[in-house]
PDB file of all heavy atoms in Angstrom:
ATOM      1  N   ILE A 366     -79.101  44.271  15.782  1.00  0.00           N
ATOM      2  CA  ILE A 366     -80.097  43.486  15.041  1.00  0.00           C
ATOM      3  C   ILE A 366     -81.429  44.215  14.963  1.00  0.00           C
ATOM      4  O   ILE A 366     -82.070  44.274  13.902  1.00  0.00           O
ATOM      5  CB  ILE A 366     -80.275  42.090  15.719  1.00  0.00           C
ATOM      6  CG1 ILE A 366     -79.003  41.258  15.535  1.00  0.00           C
ATOM      7  CG2 ILE A 366     -81.478  41.367  15.127  1.00  0.00           C
ATOM      8  CD1 ILE A 366     -79.013  39.949  16.298  1.00  0.00           C
ATOM      9  N   GLN A 367     -81.834  44.862  16.056  1.00  0.00           N
ATOM     10  CA  GLN A 367     -83.112  45.565  16.054  1.00  0.00           C
ATOM     11  C   GLN A 367     -83.074  46.808  15.215  1.00  0.00           C
ATOM     12  O   GLN A 367     -84.107  47.274  14.736  1.00  0.00           O
ATOM     13  CB  GLN A 367     -83.523  45.883  17.486  1.00  0.00           C
ATOM     14  CG  GLN A 367     -83.952  44.680  18.295  1.00  0.00           C
ATOM     15  CD  GLN A 367     -84.458  45.018  19.679  1.00  0.00           C
ATOM     16  OE1 GLN A 367     -84.008  45.977  20.313  1.00  0.00           O
ATOM     17  NE2 GLN A 367     -85.421  44.215  20.175  1.00  0.00           N
ATOM     18  N   THR A 368     -81.867  47.362  14.976  1.00  0.00           N
ATOM     19  CA  THR A 368     -81.758  48.515  14.078  1.00  0.00           C
ATOM     20  C   THR A 368     -82.163  48.138  12.655  1.00  0.00           C
ATOM     21  O   THR A 368     -82.853  48.862  11.938  1.00  0.00           O
ATOM     22  CB  THR A 368     -80.307  49.072  14.082  1.00  0.00           C
ATOM     23  OG1 THR A 368     -80.009  49.544  15.394  1.00  0.00           O
ATOM     24  CG2 THR A 368     -80.175  50.205  13.097  1.00  0.00           C
ATOM     25  N   ASP A 369     -81.699  46.934  12.247  1.00  0.00           N
ATOM     26  CA  ASP A 369     -82.022  46.410  10.899  1.00  0.00           C
ATOM     27  C   ASP A 369     -83.384  45.716  10.847  1.00  0.00           C
ATOM     28  O   ASP A 369     -84.030  45.646   9.817  1.00  0.00           O
ATOM     29  CB  ASP A 369     -80.923  45.475  10.404  1.00  0.00           C
ATOM     30  CG  ASP A 369     -79.598  46.169  10.216  1.00  0.00           C
ATOM     31  OD1 ASP A 369     -79.594  47.401   9.926  1.00  0.00           O
ATOM     32  OD2 ASP A 369     -78.560  45.525  10.365  1.00  0.00           O
ATOM     33  N   HIS A 370     -83.781  45.123  11.980  1.00  0.00           N
ATOM     34  CA  HIS A 370     -85.024  44.371  12.049  1.00  0.00           C
ATOM     35  C   HIS A 370     -85.831  44.770  13.276  1.00  0.00           C
ATOM     36  O   HIS A 370     -85.890  44.045  14.266  1.00  0.00           O
ATOM     37  CB  HIS A 370     -84.740  42.857  12.084  1.00  0.00           C
ATOM     38  CG  HIS A 370     -83.877  42.379  10.978  1.00  0.00           C
ATOM     39  ND1 HIS A 370     -84.351  42.110   9.712  1.00  0.00           N
ATOM     40  CD2 HIS A 370     -82.524  42.129  10.912  1.00  0.00           C
ATOM     41  CE1 HIS A 370     -83.356  41.714   8.922  1.00  0.00           C
ATOM     42  NE2 HIS A 370     -82.237  41.714   9.647  1.00  0.00           N
ATOM     43  N   PRO A 371     -86.427  45.954  13.248  1.00  0.00           N
ATOM     44  CA  PRO A 371     -87.132  46.466  14.412  1.00  0.00           C
ATOM     45  C   PRO A 371     -88.299  45.581  14.883  1.00  0.00           C
ATOM     46  O   PRO A 371     -88.755  45.744  16.030  1.00  0.00           O
ATOM     47  CB  PRO A 371     -87.625  47.856  13.940  1.00  0.00           C
ATOM     48  CG  PRO A 371     -87.579  47.814  12.448  1.00  0.00           C
ATOM     49  CD  PRO A 371     -86.489  46.873  12.094  1.00  0.00           C
ATOM     50  N   ASP A 372     -88.747  44.700  14.014  1.00  0.00           N
ATOM     51  CA  ASP A 372     -89.866  43.855  14.394  1.00  0.00           C
ATOM     52  C   ASP A 372     -89.415  42.653  15.262  1.00  0.00           C
ATOM     53  O   ASP A 372     -90.251  41.980  15.872  1.00  0.00           O
ATOM     54  CB  ASP A 372     -90.540  43.306  13.140  1.00  0.00           C
ATOM     55  CG  ASP A 372     -89.593  42.552  12.233  1.00  0.00           C
ATOM     56  OD1 ASP A 372     -88.454  43.049  12.040  1.00  0.00           O
ATOM     57  OD2 ASP A 372     -89.957  41.498  11.695  1.00  0.00           O
ATOM     58  N   ARG A 373     -88.117  42.387  15.346  1.00  0.00           N
ATOM     59  CA  ARG A 373     -87.640  41.259  16.120  1.00  0.00           C
ATOM     60  C   ARG A 373     -87.608  41.633  17.614  1.00  0.00           C
ATOM     61  O   ARG A 373     -87.030  42.650  18.011  1.00  0.00           O
ATOM     62  CB  ARG A 373     -86.234  40.815  15.667  1.00  0.00           C
ATOM     63  CG  ARG A 373     -86.219  40.181  14.303  1.00  0.00           C
ATOM     64  CD  ARG A 373     -84.926  39.429  14.028  1.00  0.00           C
ATOM     65  NE  ARG A 373     -84.766  38.241  14.871  1.00  0.00           N
ATOM     66  CZ  ARG A 373     -83.772  37.390  14.751  1.00  0.00           C
ATOM     67  NH1 ARG A 373     -82.851  37.586  13.818  1.00  0.00           N
ATOM     68  NH2 ARG A 373     -83.695  36.348  15.570  1.00  0.00           N
ATOM     69  N   SER A 374     -88.170  40.781  18.421  1.00  0.00           N
ATOM     70  CA  SER A 374     -88.212  41.046  19.858  1.00  0.00           C
ATOM     71  C   SER A 374     -86.874  40.670  20.505  1.00  0.00           C
ATOM     72  O   SER A 374     -86.108  39.851  19.984  1.00  0.00           O
ATOM     73  CB  SER A 374     -89.322  40.248  20.528  1.00  0.00           C
ATOM     74  OG  SER A 374     -89.004  38.851  20.510  1.00  0.00           O
ATOM     75  N   GLU A 375     -86.611  41.293  21.639  1.00  0.00           N
ATOM     76  CA  GLU A 375     -85.387  40.980  22.392  1.00  0.00           C
ATOM     77  C   GLU A 375     -85.368  39.529  22.801  1.00  0.00           C
ATOM     78  O   GLU A 375     -84.326  38.865  22.757  1.00  0.00           O
ATOM     79  CB  GLU A 375     -85.294  41.901  23.593  1.00  0.00           C
ATOM     80  CG  GLU A 375     -84.016  41.729  24.397  1.00  0.00           C
ATOM     81  CD  GLU A 375     -83.861  42.757  25.497  1.00  0.00           C
ATOM     82  OE1 GLU A 375     -84.110  43.952  25.233  1.00  0.00           O
ATOM     83  OE2 GLU A 375     -83.485  42.387  26.636  1.00  0.00           O
ATOM     84  N   THR A 376     -86.493  39.001  23.225  1.00  0.00           N
ATOM     85  CA  THR A 376     -86.591  37.589  23.650  1.00  0.00           C
ATOM     86  C   THR A 376     -86.221  36.664  22.506  1.00  0.00           C
ATOM     87  O   THR A 376     -85.508  35.686  22.688  1.00  0.00           O
ATOM     88  CB  THR A 376     -88.017  37.277  24.141  1.00  0.00           C
ATOM     89  OG1 THR A 376     -88.337  38.160  25.217  1.00  0.00           O
ATOM     90  CG2 THR A 376     -88.116  35.843  24.623  1.00  0.00           C
ATOM     91  N   ASP A 377     -86.721  36.953  21.299  1.00  0.00           N
ATOM     92  CA  ASP A 377     -86.432  36.112  20.145  1.00  0.00           C
ATOM     93  C   ASP A 377     -84.950  36.151  19.829  1.00  0.00           C
ATOM     94  O   ASP A 377     -84.329  35.077  19.528  1.00  0.00           O
ATOM     95  CB  ASP A 377     -87.222  36.603  18.924  1.00  0.00           C
ATOM     96  CG  ASP A 377     -86.818  35.893  17.648  1.00  0.00           C
ATOM     97  OD1 ASP A 377     -86.881  34.639  17.646  1.00  0.00           O
ATOM     98  OD2 ASP A 377     -86.433  36.581  16.706  1.00  0.00           O
ATOM     99  N   ILE A 378     -84.361  37.327  19.882  1.00  0.00           N
ATOM    100  CA  ILE A 378     -82.924  37.436  19.548  1.00  0.00           C
ATOM    101  C   ILE A 378     -82.081  36.683  20.602  1.00  0.00           C
ATOM    102  O   ILE A 378     -81.179  35.902  20.257  1.00  0.00           O
ATOM    103  CB  ILE A 378     -82.492  38.924  19.511  1.00  0.00           C
ATOM    104  CG1 ILE A 378     -83.218  39.629  18.368  1.00  0.00           C
ATOM    105  CG2 ILE A 378     -80.967  39.032  19.349  1.00  0.00           C
ATOM    106  CD1 ILE A 378     -83.045  41.135  18.383  1.00  0.00           C
ATOM    107  N   ILE A 379     -82.394  36.875  21.884  1.00  0.00           N
ATOM    108  CA  ILE A 379     -81.591  36.213  22.939  1.00  0.00           C
ATOM    109  C   ILE A 379     -81.670  34.692  22.804  1.00  0.00           C
ATOM    110  O   ILE A 379     -80.685  33.990  23.077  1.00  0.00           O
ATOM    111  CB  ILE A 379     -82.080  36.673  24.325  1.00  0.00           C
ATOM    112  CG1 ILE A 379     -81.698  38.140  24.566  1.00  0.00           C
ATOM    113  CG2 ILE A 379     -81.506  35.774  25.435  1.00  0.00           C
ATOM    114  CD1 ILE A 379     -82.192  38.720  25.854  1.00  0.00           C
ATOM    115  N   SER A 380     -82.809  34.194  22.374  1.00  0.00           N
ATOM    116  CA  SER A 380     -82.961  32.735  22.234  1.00  0.00           C
ATOM    117  C   SER A 380     -82.040  32.136  21.186  1.00  0.00           C
ATOM    118  O   SER A 380     -81.769  30.955  21.174  1.00  0.00           O
ATOM    119  CB  SER A 380     -84.420  32.385  21.884  1.00  0.00           C
ATOM    120  OG  SER A 380     -84.740  32.780  20.555  1.00  0.00           O
ATOM    121  N   LYS A 381     -81.531  33.013  20.274  1.00  0.00           N
ATOM    122  CA  LYS A 381     -80.636  32.538  19.217  1.00  0.00           C
ATOM    123  C   LYS A 381     -79.171  32.856  19.494  1.00  0.00           C
ATOM    124  O   LYS A 381     -78.280  32.386  18.767  1.00  0.00           O
ATOM    125  CB  LYS A 381     -81.023  33.216  17.903  1.00  0.00           C
ATOM    126  CG  LYS A 381     -82.452  32.941  17.418  1.00  0.00           C
ATOM    127  CD  LYS A 381     -82.617  31.496  16.993  1.00  0.00           C
ATOM    128  CE  LYS A 381     -83.917  31.309  16.213  1.00  0.00           C
ATOM    129  NZ  LYS A 381     -85.111  31.637  16.996  1.00  0.00           N
ATOM    130  N   LEU A 382     -78.871  33.626  20.538  1.00  0.00           N
ATOM    131  CA  LEU A 382     -77.501  34.044  20.812  1.00  0.00           C
ATOM    132  C   LEU A 382     -76.675  32.872  21.322  1.00  0.00           C
ATOM    133  O   LEU A 382     -77.124  32.031  22.077  1.00  0.00           O
ATOM    134  CB  LEU A 382     -77.479  35.183  21.818  1.00  0.00           C
ATOM    135  CG  LEU A 382     -78.109  36.505  21.412  1.00  0.00           C
ATOM    136  CD1 LEU A 382     -77.968  37.516  22.557  1.00  0.00           C
ATOM    137  CD2 LEU A 382     -77.455  37.048  20.137  1.00  0.00           C
ATOM    138  N   VAL A 383     -75.388  32.858  20.912  1.00  0.00           N
ATOM    139  CA  VAL A 383     -74.443  31.860  21.402  1.00  0.00           C
ATOM    140  C   VAL A 383     -73.134  32.534  21.776  1.00  0.00           C
ATOM    141  O   VAL A 383     -72.597  33.348  21.039  1.00  0.00           O
ATOM    142  CB  VAL A 383     -74.145  30.777  20.311  1.00  0.00           C
ATOM    143  CG1 VAL A 383     -73.376  29.614  20.971  1.00  0.00           C
ATOM    144  CG2 VAL A 383     -75.396  30.289  19.642  1.00  0.00           C
ATOM    145  N   ALA A 384     -72.649  32.208  22.973  1.00  0.00           N
ATOM    146  CA  ALA A 384     -71.332  32.643  23.440  1.00  0.00           C
ATOM    147  C   ALA A 384     -70.406  31.441  23.465  1.00  0.00           C
ATOM    148  O   ALA A 384     -70.858  30.292  23.578  1.00  0.00           O
ATOM    149  CB  ALA A 384     -71.448  33.269  24.840  1.00  0.00           C
ATOM    150  N   TYR A 385     -69.095  31.717  23.413  1.00  0.00           N
ATOM    151  CA  TYR A 385     -68.128  30.629  23.313  1.00  0.00           C
ATOM    152  C   TYR A 385     -66.949  30.851  24.261  1.00  0.00           C
ATOM    153  O   TYR A 385     -66.623  31.980  24.604  1.00  0.00           O
ATOM    154  CB  TYR A 385     -67.568  30.523  21.876  1.00  0.00           C
ATOM    155  CG  TYR A 385     -68.633  30.410  20.812  1.00  0.00           C
ATOM    156  CD1 TYR A 385     -69.210  31.561  20.233  1.00  0.00           C
ATOM    157  CD2 TYR A 385     -69.065  29.175  20.383  1.00  0.00           C
ATOM    158  CE1 TYR A 385     -70.193  31.463  19.270  1.00  0.00           C
ATOM    159  CE2 TYR A 385     -70.047  29.073  19.393  1.00  0.00           C
ATOM    160  CZ  TYR A 385     -70.608  30.217  18.858  1.00  0.00           C
ATOM    161  OH  TYR A 385     -71.588  30.123  17.889  1.00  0.00           O
ATOM    162  N   SER A 386     -66.370  29.717  24.648  1.00  0.00           N
ATOM    163  CA  SER A 386     -65.141  29.788  25.453  1.00  0.00           C
ATOM    164  C   SER A 386     -64.373  28.502  25.245  1.00  0.00           C
ATOM    165  O   SER A 386     -64.866  27.549  24.646  1.00  0.00           O
ATOM    166  CB  SER A 386     -65.463  29.935  26.950  1.00  0.00           C
ATOM    167  OG  SER A 386     -65.972  28.729  27.490  1.00  0.00           O
TER     168      SER A 386
END
Side-chain angles (χ1 to χ4, degrees):
I366 292 173
Q367 288 185 328
T368 297
D369 295 332
H370 306 279
D372 57 318
R373 291 195 67 174
S374 69
E375 183 172 317
T376 302
D377 173 56
I378 296 170
I379 290 177
S380 71
K381 300 291 194 299
L382 295 181
V383 191
Y385 306 88
S386 73

